Amino acid sequence: MKYKVGVLVMAGLLLTASSGFAAVHYQSLKNKDGELTYQVKPVAEFPVQQEEVIQRLDYTRELGEQLLQDGTAAIIYVTAHNPEGVTDTRSKPVVYGDWSVLQAKLGGQETGLGLAEQLPDGYTFHSASARYEPIKPAPEEAAAITDKLRKQAEQSGKGYALLPVGLSDKLLTLTASYRKGEQEVTVQISKTAALPTMYVDEKVDFTAEKLTAGGTELIYTRYKGGNTLTWSAEIPGREEYLLYQLDEMSGQLFSKEEMVRLAEPLLK
């Protein structure tokens, strides 16, 4: 994406920009029963976090990007900005370049997720990155692991230590890329147990409009560098949400009709 930056923080997506004019439309989505399934709020309502916590999270996120290989995870302890002596678990996504391999890994879940090998207008699957939930240590082991990593971080002189952990098969997010020549669109699917919320910086220049297609509510958002179509779904029998986001951020500025047509194979 050329213009916007999305960061998954707690249960909220934080959308920020360094410049622009506020043209804010705080839209929301509801299911067929009228229940809220997605909402957009001003960044002023984003949960306040202490500066030390923000610095620690940024640092462990950066270490994860530098030190981890694709498809791996680790528990990380840092001495800086960590007065309470806690750990963070970081992971890097598994990258797929073959549609059949992705299908086999998901074990048929691609149908439930709404994935498709091809989208309308000639867009074909190119690659995908999937984030899976890291395997958590047993509660009785967590304290001992934290203490061990703290000692390693202090004694090594590096200021950090990590313990590799495995990844479960529980999918958290999946981002699939579809290409037609040099043009590209991406589809991101996120799973969350909490109500998905996007917090928008007032400096982001965008307009948003609510649409309906096939009985599903969608939000069409037009940014300076492209456009996005967002919709949500609930997982039957489970208290979880699926949040879908179709992005075209190369500046082609597709119309809302074109975006809806691209999304048609994915709508539930």
Side-chain angles (χ1 to χ4, degrees), residues 9-266:
V9 182
M10 299 172 63
L13 292 160
L14 180 62
L15 183 60
T16 62
S18 59
S19 63
F21 175 78
V24 180
H25 300 263
Y26 300 117
Q27 301 281 9
S28 62
L29 295 173
K30 295 181 179 180
N31 61 18
K32 295 178 181 179
D33 296 323
E35 299 169 330
L36 195 65
T37 59
Y38 173 74
Q39 59 187 346
V40 180
K41 292 185 175 182
V43 74
E45 297 184 25
F46 190 77
V48 176
Q49 292 184 325
Q50 294 182 352
E51 184 62 27
E52 284 277 60
V53 174
I54 295 173
Q55 298 246 11
R56 188 197 81 239
L57 291 173
D58 284 345
Y59 185 23
T60 57
R61 188 177 299 112
E62 180 181 324
L63 286 173
E65 287 298 315
Q66 292 177 354
L67 302 176
L68 297 178
Q69 300 294 317
D70 288 346
T72 64
I75 300 171
I76 303 177
Y77 185 100
V78 296
T79 56
H81 311 294
N82 195 6
E84 297 187 5
V86 298
T87 60
D88 297 303
T89 302
R90 298 298 181 194
S91 65
K92 293 188 75 171
V94 180
V95 178
Y96 300 94
D98 187 307
W99 173 256
S100 61
V101 174
L102 176 61
Q103 282 184 307
K105 174 61 180 178
L106 294 178
Q109 291 185 66
E110 75 280 354
T111 302
L113 293 176
L115 280 183
E117 186 174 6
Q118 293 186 338
L119 299 183
D121 300 341
Y123 284 87
T124 302
F125 174 83
H126 176 265
S127 61
S129 62
R131 287 189 180 274
Y132 298 94
E133 183 174 67
I135 298 174
K136 299 177 181 179
E140 59 270 19
E141 299 175 347
I145 290 174
T146 298
D147 187 55
K148 178 181 178 180
L149 291 178
R150 177 184 59 78
K151 292 176 180 177
Q152 290 179 356
E154 293 172 348
Q155 295 170 4
S156 68
K158 296 180 180 180
Y160 69 86
L162 58 82
L163 175 69
V165 294
L167 292 174
S168 70
D169 289 328
K170 182 178 179 180
L171 184 68
L172 298 176
T173 64
L174 176 71
T175 302
S177 165
Y178 296 84
R179 293 186 180 178
K180 180 178 69 173
E182 297 298 316
Q183 299 177 4
E184 180 180 22
V185 297
T186 61
V187 176
Q188 179 172 293
I189 306 173
S190 304
K191 282 186 177 181
T192 175
L195 177 66
T197 303
M198 177 78 79
Y199 295 90
V200 183
D201 188 326
E202 292 184 353
K203 294 179 181 178
V204 173
D205 185 8
F206 77 97
T207 58
E209 179 182 354
K210 187 181 291 188
L211 312 171
T212 301
T216 299
E217 286 192 344
L218 311 96
I219 297 176
Y220 168 69
T221 308
R222 190 172 180 117
Y223 296 93
K224 182 178 180 180
N227 24 207
T228 293
L229 197 65
T230 305
W231 67 98
S232 62
E234 293 169 280
I235 302 177
R238 299 167 64 180
E239 294 183 358
E240 285 186 307
Y241 297 89
L242 289 174
L243 180 65
Y244 294 80
Q245 185 167 298
L246 174 65
D247 281 301
E248 194 298 299
M249 301 303 293
S250 68
Q252 296 180 67
L253 295 174
F254 291 153
S255 68
K256 57 187 176 184
E257 290 81 10
E258 290 174 304
M259 291 292 284
V260 170
R261 185 168 66 247
L262 284 170
E264 282 178 352
L266 313 173

